[in-house]
Coordinates of all heavy atoms in Angstrom, one line a residue:
G319 N -56.7 45.9 -101.3 CA -57.9 46.6 -101.8 C -58.8 45.7 -102.7 O -59.6 46.3 -103.4
R320 N -58.6 44.4 -102.7 CA -59.5 43.6 -103.5 C -60.9 43.6 -103.0 O -61.1 43.4 -101.7 CB -59.0 42.2 -103.6 CG -59.8 41.3 -104.5 CD -59.3 39.9 -104.6 NE -57.9 40.0 -105.2 CZ -57.1 38.8 -105.3 NH1 -57.5 37.7 -104.9 NH2 -55.9 39.0 -105.9
T321 N -61.9 43.8 -103.7 CA -63.2 44.0 -103.3 C -63.8 42.7 -102.8 O -63.7 41.7 -103.4 CB -64.2 44.6 -104.3 OG1 -64.2 43.8 -105.4 CG2 -63.7 46.0 -104.7
K322 N -64.7 42.8 -101.7 CA -65.4 41.6 -101.3 C -66.4 41.2 -102.3 O -66.8 40.0 -102.4 CB -66.1 41.9 -100.0 CG -65.1 42.3 -98.9 CD -65.8 42.8 -97.6 CE -64.8 43.3 -96.6 NZ -65.5 43.8 -95.4
K323 N -66.9 42.1 -103.1 CA -67.9 41.8 -104.1 C -67.4 40.9 -105.1 O -68.1 40.0 -105.6 CB -68.4 43.1 -104.8 CG -69.5 42.9 -105.7 CD -69.9 44.3 -106.3 CE -71.0 44.2 -107.2 NZ -71.5 45.5 -107.8
E324 N -66.1 41.0 -105.5 CA -65.5 40.1 -106.5 C -65.3 38.7 -105.9 O -65.6 37.7 -106.6 CB -64.1 40.6 -107.0 CG -64.3 41.9 -107.8 CD -62.9 42.3 -108.3 OE1 -61.9 41.9 -107.7 OE2 -62.8 43.1 -109.2
T325 N -64.6 38.6 -104.8 CA -64.2 37.3 -104.3 C -65.1 36.7 -103.3 O -65.0 35.5 -102.9 CB -62.8 37.5 -103.7 OG1 -62.8 38.3 -102.6 CG2 -61.8 38.0 -104.7
N326 N -65.8 37.5 -102.6 CA -66.7 37.1 -101.5 C -65.8 36.3 -100.5 O -66.2 35.3 -99.9 CB -67.8 36.2 -101.9 CG -69.0 36.2 -101.0 OD1 -69.1 37.0 -100.1 ND2 -69.9 35.3 -101.2
G327 N -64.6 36.8 -100.3 CA -63.6 36.1 -99.5 C -63.9 36.0 -98.0 O -63.7 35.0 -97.4
L328 N -64.6 37.1 -97.4 CA -64.9 37.0 -96.0 C -65.9 35.9 -95.7 O -65.7 35.2 -94.7 CB -65.6 38.4 -95.6 CG -65.9 38.5 -94.1 CD1 -64.7 38.4 -93.3 CD2 -66.6 39.8 -93.9
Q329 N -66.9 35.6 -96.5 CA -67.8 34.5 -96.3 C -67.1 33.2 -96.3 O -67.3 32.4 -95.5 CB -68.9 34.6 -97.4 CG -69.9 33.4 -97.2 CD -70.9 33.4 -98.3 OE1 -71.1 34.4 -99.0 NE2 -71.5 32.3 -98.6
R330 N -66.3 33.0 -97.4 CA -65.6 31.7 -97.5 C -64.6 31.5 -96.3 O -64.5 30.4 -95.8 CB -64.8 31.7 -98.8 CG -65.7 31.6 -100.0 CD -65.0 30.8 -101.2 NE -63.7 31.4 -101.4 CZ -63.4 32.3 -102.3 NH1 -64.3 32.9 -103.0 NH2 -62.1 32.8 -102.4
T331 N -63.9 32.6 -95.9 CA -63.0 32.4 -94.8 C -63.7 32.1 -93.5 O -63.2 31.3 -92.7 CB -62.2 33.7 -94.7 OG1 -61.4 34.0 -95.9 CG2 -61.1 33.6 -93.6
M332 N -64.8 32.8 -93.3 CA -65.6 32.5 -92.1 C -66.0 31.0 -92.0 O -65.9 30.4 -91.0 CB -66.8 33.4 -92.0 CG -67.7 33.2 -90.8 SD -66.9 33.7 -89.3 CE -67.0 35.5 -89.5
V333 N -66.5 30.5 -93.1 CA -66.8 29.1 -93.2 C -65.7 28.2 -92.9 O -65.7 27.2 -92.1 CB -67.5 28.8 -94.5 CG1 -67.8 27.3 -94.6 CG2 -68.8 29.6 -94.6
R334 N -64.6 28.5 -93.5 CA -63.4 27.6 -93.3 C -62.9 27.8 -91.9 O -62.5 26.7 -91.3 CB -62.2 28.1 -94.3 CG -62.6 27.8 -95.7 CD -61.4 28.3 -96.6 NE -61.7 28.2 -98.1 CZ -61.0 28.6 -99.0 NH1 -59.9 29.4 -98.7 NH2 -61.3 28.4 -100.2
F335 N -62.9 29.0 -91.4 CA -62.4 29.2 -90.0 C -63.2 28.4 -89.0 O -62.7 27.7 -88.2 CB -62.3 30.6 -89.6 CG -61.6 31.0 -88.4 CD1 -60.2 30.8 -88.3 CD2 -62.2 31.4 -87.3 CE1 -59.5 31.1 -87.1 CE2 -61.6 31.7 -86.1 CZ -60.2 31.5 -86.0
L336 N -64.5 28.6 -89.1 CA -65.4 27.9 -88.2 C -65.4 26.4 -88.4 O -65.4 25.6 -87.5 CB -66.9 28.4 -88.3 CG -67.1 29.8 -87.8 CD1 -68.6 30.2 -88.1 CD2 -66.9 29.9 -86.3
G337 N -65.3 26.0 -89.6 CA -65.1 24.6 -89.9 C -63.9 24.0 -89.3 O -64.0 22.8 -88.8
S338 N -62.8 24.7 -89.4 CA -61.6 24.2 -88.8 C -61.7 24.0 -87.3 O -61.2 23.1 -86.7 CB -60.4 25.1 -89.1 OG -60.2 25.2 -90.5
I339 N -62.3 25.0 -86.6 CA -62.5 24.9 -85.2 C -63.4 23.8 -84.8 O -63.1 23.0 -83.9 CB -63.1 26.3 -84.7 CG1 -62.1 27.4 -84.8 CG2 -63.6 26.2 -83.2 CD1 -62.7 28.8 -84.4
I340 N -64.5 23.5 -85.6 CA -65.4 22.5 -85.4 C -64.7 21.1 -85.5 O -64.8 20.2 -84.7 CB -66.6 22.5 -86.3 CG1 -67.5 23.7 -86.0 CG2 -67.4 21.2 -86.3 CD1 -68.5 24.0 -87.0
I341 N -63.8 21.0 -86.6 CA -63.0 19.8 -86.8 C -62.1 19.6 -85.6 O -62.0 18.4 -85.1 CB -62.3 19.8 -88.1 CG1 -63.3 19.8 -89.2 CG2 -61.3 18.7 -88.2 CD1 -62.6 20.1 -90.6
A342 N -61.4 20.7 -85.1 CA -60.4 20.5 -84.1 C -61.1 20.1 -82.8 O -60.6 19.2 -82.0 CB -59.7 21.8 -83.9
L343 N -62.3 20.7 -82.5 CA -63.0 20.3 -81.3 C -63.5 18.8 -81.4 O -63.5 18.1 -80.3 CB -64.2 21.3 -81.0 CG -63.8 22.7 -80.6 CD1 -65.0 23.6 -80.5 CD2 -63.0 22.7 -79.3
A344 N -64.0 18.5 -82.5 CA -64.5 17.1 -82.7 C -63.3 16.1 -82.5 O -63.5 15.0 -81.9 CB -65.1 16.9 -84.0
I345 N -62.1 16.4 -83.0 CA -61.0 15.5 -82.8 C -60.6 15.5 -81.3 O -60.3 14.4 -80.8 CB -59.8 16.0 -83.6 CG1 -60.1 15.9 -85.1 CG2 -58.5 15.3 -83.3 CD1 -59.0 16.5 -86.0
E346 N -60.7 16.7 -80.6 CA -60.4 16.7 -79.2 C -61.4 15.9 -78.4 O -61.0 15.2 -77.5 CB -60.4 18.2 -78.7 CG -60.0 18.3 -77.3 CD -58.5 18.1 -77.1 OE1 -57.7 18.3 -78.1 OE2 -58.1 17.6 -76.0
A347 N -62.6 15.9 -78.8 CA -63.6 15.1 -78.1 C -63.4 13.6 -78.4 O -63.5 12.8 -77.4 CB -65.0 15.4 -78.7
L348 N -62.9 13.3 -79.6 CA -62.6 11.9 -79.9 C -61.4 11.4 -79.0 O -61.3 10.3 -78.5 CB -62.3 11.7 -81.4 CG -62.0 10.3 -81.8 CD1 -63.2 9.4 -81.5 CD2 -61.8 10.3 -83.4
M349 N -60.4 12.3 -78.9 CA -59.3 12.0 -78.0 C -59.6 11.7 -76.6 O -59.2 10.8 -75.9 CB -58.2 13.1 -78.1 CG -57.5 13.2 -79.5 SD -56.4 14.6 -79.5 CE -55.3 14.3 -78.1
L350 N -60.5 12.6 -76.1 CA -61.0 12.4 -74.7 C -61.7 11.1 -74.5 O -61.6 10.4 -73.5 CB -61.9 13.6 -74.3 CG -61.3 14.9 -74.0 CD1 -62.3 16.0 -73.7 CD2 -60.4 14.7 -72.8
V351 N -62.5 10.7 -75.5 CA -63.2 9.4 -75.4 C -62.2 8.3 -75.3 O -62.3 7.3 -74.5 CB -64.1 9.1 -76.7 CG1 -64.6 7.7 -76.7 CG2 -65.2 10.1 -76.7
F352 N -61.1 8.3 -76.1 CA -60.0 7.3 -76.0 C -59.4 7.3 -74.6 O -59.1 6.2 -74.0 CB -59.0 7.5 -77.1 CG -59.5 7.2 -78.5 CD1 -59.0 7.8 -79.6 CD2 -60.4 6.2 -78.7 CE1 -59.4 7.5 -80.9 CE2 -60.9 5.9 -79.9 CZ -60.4 6.5 -81.0
K353 N -59.1 8.5 -74.1 CA -58.4 8.6 -72.9 C -59.3 8.0 -71.7 O -58.9 7.3 -70.8 CB -58.0 10.0 -72.6 CG -56.9 10.5 -73.4 CD -56.5 12.0 -73.1 CE -55.4 12.5 -74.0 NZ -55.1 13.9 -73.7
L354 N -60.5 8.5 -71.7 CA -61.4 8.1 -70.6 C -61.9 6.6 -70.7 O -62.3 6.0 -69.7 CB -62.7 9.0 -70.6 CG -62.4 10.5 -70.4 CD1 -63.6 11.3 -70.5 CD2 -61.7 10.7 -69.0
T355 N -61.8 6.1 -71.9 CA -62.2 4.6 -72.0 C -61.2 3.8 -71.2 O -61.7 2.7 -70.6 CB -62.2 4.2 -73.5 OG1 -63.1 5.0 -74.2 CG2 -62.5 2.7 -73.6
V356 N -60.0 4.1 -71.1 CA -59.0 3.3 -70.4 C -58.7 4.0 -69.0 O -57.7 3.6 -68.3 CB -57.7 3.2 -71.1 CG1 -57.9 2.4 -72.4 CG2 -57.1 4.6 -71.5
G357 N -59.5 5.1 -68.6 CA -59.2 5.8 -67.4 C -60.5 5.9 -66.6 O -61.2 5.0 -66.4
D358 N -60.8 7.1 -66.2 CA -61.9 7.5 -65.4 C -63.1 7.8 -66.2 O -63.2 8.9 -66.8 CB -61.5 8.6 -64.4 CG -62.6 8.8 -63.4 OD1 -63.6 8.0 -63.3 OD2 -62.5 9.8 -62.6
L359 N -64.1 6.8 -66.2 CA -65.3 7.0 -67.0 C -66.2 8.1 -66.4 O -67.1 8.6 -67.1 CB -66.0 5.7 -67.2 CG -65.4 4.6 -68.1 CD1 -66.2 3.4 -68.1 CD2 -65.2 5.2 -69.5
S360 N -66.0 8.5 -65.2 CA -66.9 9.4 -64.5 C -66.7 10.8 -65.1 O -67.5 11.7 -65.0 CB -66.6 9.4 -63.0 OG -65.3 9.9 -62.8
Q361 N -65.6 11.0 -65.9 CA -65.3 12.3 -66.5 C -65.9 12.3 -67.9 O -65.7 13.4 -68.6 CB -63.8 12.5 -66.6 CG -63.1 12.4 -65.2 CD -63.5 13.6 -64.3 OE1 -63.7 14.7 -64.7 NE2 -63.7 13.2 -63.0
M362 N -66.6 11.3 -68.3 CA -67.2 11.3 -69.6 C -68.2 12.4 -69.9 O -68.5 12.8 -71.0 CB -67.9 9.9 -69.9 CG -68.3 9.7 -71.3 SD -66.9 9.5 -72.5 CE -66.3 7.9 -72.0
V363 N -68.8 13.0 -68.8 CA -69.7 14.1 -68.9 C -69.1 15.3 -69.7 O -69.7 16.0 -70.4 CB -70.2 14.5 -67.6 CG1 -69.2 15.1 -66.7 CG2 -71.4 15.5 -67.7
Y364 N -67.8 15.5 -69.5 CA -67.1 16.6 -70.1 C -67.0 16.4 -71.6 O -67.0 17.3 -72.5 CB -65.7 16.8 -69.6 CG -65.7 17.2 -68.1 CD1 -65.4 16.3 -67.1 CD2 -66.1 18.5 -67.7 CE1 -65.4 16.8 -65.8 CE2 -66.2 18.9 -66.4 CZ -65.8 18.0 -65.4 OH -65.9 18.4 -64.1
V365 N -66.9 15.1 -72.1 CA -66.9 14.8 -73.5 C -68.3 15.2 -74.1 O -68.4 15.7 -75.2 CB -66.7 13.3 -73.7 CG1 -66.8 12.9 -75.2 CG2 -65.3 12.9 -73.2
I366 N -69.4 14.9 -73.3 CA -70.7 15.2 -73.8 C -70.8 16.8 -73.9 O -71.5 17.3 -74.9 CB -71.8 14.7 -72.8 CG1 -71.7 13.2 -72.7 CG2 -73.1 15.2 -73.2 CD1 -72.6 12.5 -71.7
Y367 N -70.3 17.5 -72.9 CA -70.3 19.0 -73.0 C -69.6 19.4 -74.3 O -70.1 20.3 -75.0 CB -69.6 19.6 -71.8 CG -70.4 19.4 -70.5 CD1 -69.7 19.4 -69.3 CD2 -71.8 19.2 -70.5 CE1 -70.4 19.3 -68.1 CE2 -72.4 19.0 -69.3 CZ -71.8 19.1 -68.1 OH -72.5 19.0 -67.0
L368 N -68.4 18.8 -74.5 CA -67.6 19.2 -75.8 C -68.4 18.9 -77.0 O -68.4 19.7 -78.0 CB -66.3 18.5 -75.7 CG -65.2 19.0 -76.7 CD1 -65.0 20.4 -76.6 CD2 -63.9 18.2 -76.5
I369 N -69.0 17.7 -77.1 CA -69.8 17.4 -78.3 C -71.0 18.3 -78.4 O -71.4 18.7 -79.6 CB -70.2 15.9 -78.2 CG1 -69.0 14.9 -78.3 CG2 -71.2 15.6 -79.3 CD1 -69.4 13.5 -78.0
G370 N -71.6 18.7 -77.3 CA -72.7 19.7 -77.3 C -72.2 21.0 -77.9 O -72.9 21.7 -78.7
G371 N -71.0 21.4 -77.5 CA -70.5 22.7 -78.0 C -70.2 22.6 -79.5 O -70.5 23.6 -80.3
V372 N -69.8 21.5 -80.0 CA -69.5 21.3 -81.4 C -70.9 21.4 -82.2 O -71.0 22.0 -83.2 CB -68.9 19.9 -81.7 CG1 -68.8 19.6 -83.2 CG2 -67.5 19.9 -81.1
N373 N -71.9 20.7 -81.6 CA -73.2 20.8 -82.3 C -73.8 22.2 -82.3 O -74.4 22.6 -83.3 CB -74.2 19.9 -81.5 CG -73.9 18.4 -81.7 OD1 -73.5 18.0 -82.8 ND2 -74.2 17.6 -80.7
L374 N -73.6 23.0 -81.2 CA -74.0 24.4 -81.2 C -73.2 25.2 -82.4 O -73.8 26.0 -83.0 CB -73.7 25.0 -79.9 CG -74.7 24.6 -78.7 CD1 -74.3 25.2 -77.4 CD2 -76.1 25.0 -79.1
L375 N -72.0 24.9 -82.5 CA -71.2 25.6 -83.5 C -71.7 25.3 -84.9 O -71.8 26.1 -85.8 CB -69.7 25.3 -83.4 CG -68.9 26.0 -82.3 CD1 -67.5 25.4 -82.3 CD2 -68.9 27.5 -82.6
L376 N -72.1 24.0 -85.1 CA -72.6 23.6 -86.4 C -74.0 24.3 -86.6 O -74.3 24.7 -87.8 CB -72.9 22.0 -86.4 CG -71.6 21.2 -86.6 CD1 -71.9 19.7 -86.4 CD2 -71.0 21.4 -88.0
V377 N -74.8 24.4 -85.6 CA -76.1 25.1 -85.8 C -75.8 26.5 -86.1 O -76.5 27.1 -87.0 CB -76.9 25.0 -84.5 CG1 -78.1 25.9 -84.5 CG2 -77.3 23.5 -84.2
G378 N -74.9 27.2 -85.4 CA -74.6 28.6 -85.7 C -74.1 28.7 -87.1 O -74.4 29.7 -87.8
L379 N -73.2 27.8 -87.5 CA -72.7 27.9 -88.9 C -73.8 27.7 -89.9 O -73.8 28.5 -91.0 CB -71.6 26.9 -89.1 CG -70.9 26.9 -90.5 CD1 -70.2 28.2 -90.8 CD2 -69.9 25.7 -90.5
S380 N -74.7 26.9 -89.7 CA -75.9 26.6 -90.6 C -76.7 27.9 -90.7 O -77.2 28.3 -91.8 CB -76.7 25.5 -90.1 OG -75.9 24.3 -90.0
I381 N -77.0 28.6 -89.5 CA -77.8 29.8 -89.5 C -77.1 30.9 -90.3 O -77.7 31.7 -91.1 CB -78.1 30.2 -88.1 CG1 -79.0 29.2 -87.3 CG2 -78.7 31.6 -88.0 CD1 -79.2 29.5 -85.9
Y382 N -75.8 31.0 -90.1 CA -74.9 32.0 -90.8 C -75.0 31.8 -92.3 O -75.3 32.7 -93.1 CB -73.5 31.9 -90.3 CG -72.5 32.7 -91.2 CD1 -72.5 34.1 -91.1 CD2 -71.7 32.1 -92.1 CE1 -71.6 34.9 -91.8 CE2 -70.8 32.9 -92.9 CZ -70.8 34.3 -92.8 OH -69.9 35.0 -93.5
L383 N -74.9 30.5 -92.8 CA -75.0 30.2 -94.2 C -76.3 30.5 -94.8 O -76.5 31.0 -95.9 CB -74.6 28.8 -94.5 CG -73.1 28.4 -94.2 CD1 -72.9 26.9 -94.4 CD2 -72.2 29.2 -95.2
F384 N -77.4 30.2 -94.0 CA -78.8 30.5 -94.4 C -79.0 31.9 -94.6 O -79.6 32.4 -95.5 CB -79.7 29.8 -93.5 CG -81.1 30.1 -93.8 CD1 -81.9 29.5 -94.7 CD2 -81.8 31.1 -93.1 CE1 -83.2 29.8 -95.1 CE2 -83.2 31.5 -93.4 CZ -83.8 30.7 -94.4
A385 N -78.5 32.7 -93.6 CA -78.7 34.2 -93.6 C -78.0 34.8 -94.8 O -78.5 35.7 -95.5 CB -78.2 34.8 -92.3
V386 N -76.7 34.4 -95.1 CA -76.0 34.9 -96.3 C -76.7 34.5 -97.6 O -76.8 35.4 -98.5 CB -74.6 34.3 -96.3 CG1 -73.9 34.6 -97.6 CG2 -73.8 34.8 -95.1
K387 N -77.2 33.3 -97.7 CA -77.9 32.9 -98.9 C -79.2 33.7 -99.1 O -79.5 34.2 -100.2 CB -78.3 31.4 -98.8 CG -78.9 30.9 -100.0 CD -79.1 29.4 -100.0 CE -79.8 28.9 -101.3 NZ -80.1 27.4 -101.2
Y388 N -79.9 33.9 -97.9 CA -81.1 34.7 -98.0 C -80.9 36.1 -98.4 O -81.6 36.7 -99.3 CB -81.8 34.7 -96.6 CG -83.1 35.4 -96.5 CD1 -84.3 34.9 -97.0 CD2 -83.1 36.7 -95.9 CE1 -85.5 35.6 -97.0 CE2 -84.3 37.4 -95.9 CZ -85.5 36.9 -96.3 OH -86.7 37.5 -96.3
K389 N -79.8 36.7 -97.9 CA -79.5 38.1 -98.2 C -79.1 38.2 -99.7 O -79.5 39.1 -100.4 CB -78.3 38.6 -97.4 CG -77.8 40.0 -97.7 CD -76.7 40.4 -96.8 CE -76.2 41.8 -97.1 NZ -75.0 42.2 -96.3
N390 N -78.3 37.3 -100.2 CA -77.9 37.3 -101.6 C -79.1 37.1 -102.5 O -79.1 37.7 -103.6 CB -76.8 36.2 -101.9 CG -75.5 36.4 -101.2 OD1 -75.2 37.6 -100.9 ND2 -74.7 35.4 -101.0
N391 N -80.0 36.2 -102.2 CA -81.2 36.0 -103.0 C -82.0 37.3 -103.1 O -82.5 37.7 -104.1 CB -82.0 34.9 -102.5 CG -81.4 33.6 -102.7 OD1 -80.6 33.4 -103.6 ND2 -81.8 32.6 -101.9
N392 N -82.1 38.1 -101.9 CA -82.9 39.3 -101.9 C -82.2 40.4 -102.8 O -82.9 41.2 -103.5 CB -83.0 39.8 -100.5 CG -84.0 39.1 -99.7 OD1 -84.8 38.4 -100.2 ND2 -83.9 39.2 -98.4
I393 N -80.8 40.4 -102.8 CA -80.1 41.4 -103.6 C -80.3 41.0 -105.1 O -80.6 41.9 -105.9 CB -78.6 41.3 -103.3 CG1 -78.4 41.9 -101.9 CG2 -77.8 42.1 -104.3 CD1 -76.9 41.7 -101.4

Side-chain angles (χ1 to χ4, degrees):
R320 184 177 297 177
T321 61
K322 298 172 186 176
K323 186 177 181 180
E324 284 182 349
T325 62
N326 207 10
L328 183 60
Q329 178 187 337
R330 291 208 311 265
T331 300
M332 180 67 74
V333 173
R334 290 176 185 174
F335 190 70
L336 288 177
S338 299
I339 293 175
I340 291 171
I341 292 171
L343 290 176
I345 293 173
E346 187 67 30
L348 186 59
M349 289 175 59
L350 282 176
V351 169
F352 288 150
K353 290 179 181 178
L354 296 176
T355 300
V356 296
D358 187 4
L359 290 177
S360 63
Q361 304 295 318
M362 191 65 73
V363 65
Y364 295 109
V365 177
I366 298 175
Y367 291 155
L368 191 55
I369 293 175
V372 171
N373 288 329
L374 286 176
L375 282 173
L376 283 172
V377 171
L379 181 59
S380 301
I381 294 173
Y382 170 77
L383 291 174
F384 176 79
V386 170
K387 183 178 180 181
Y388 180 77
K389 179 181 178 182
N390 290 340
N391 289 339
N392 286 343
I393 292 174

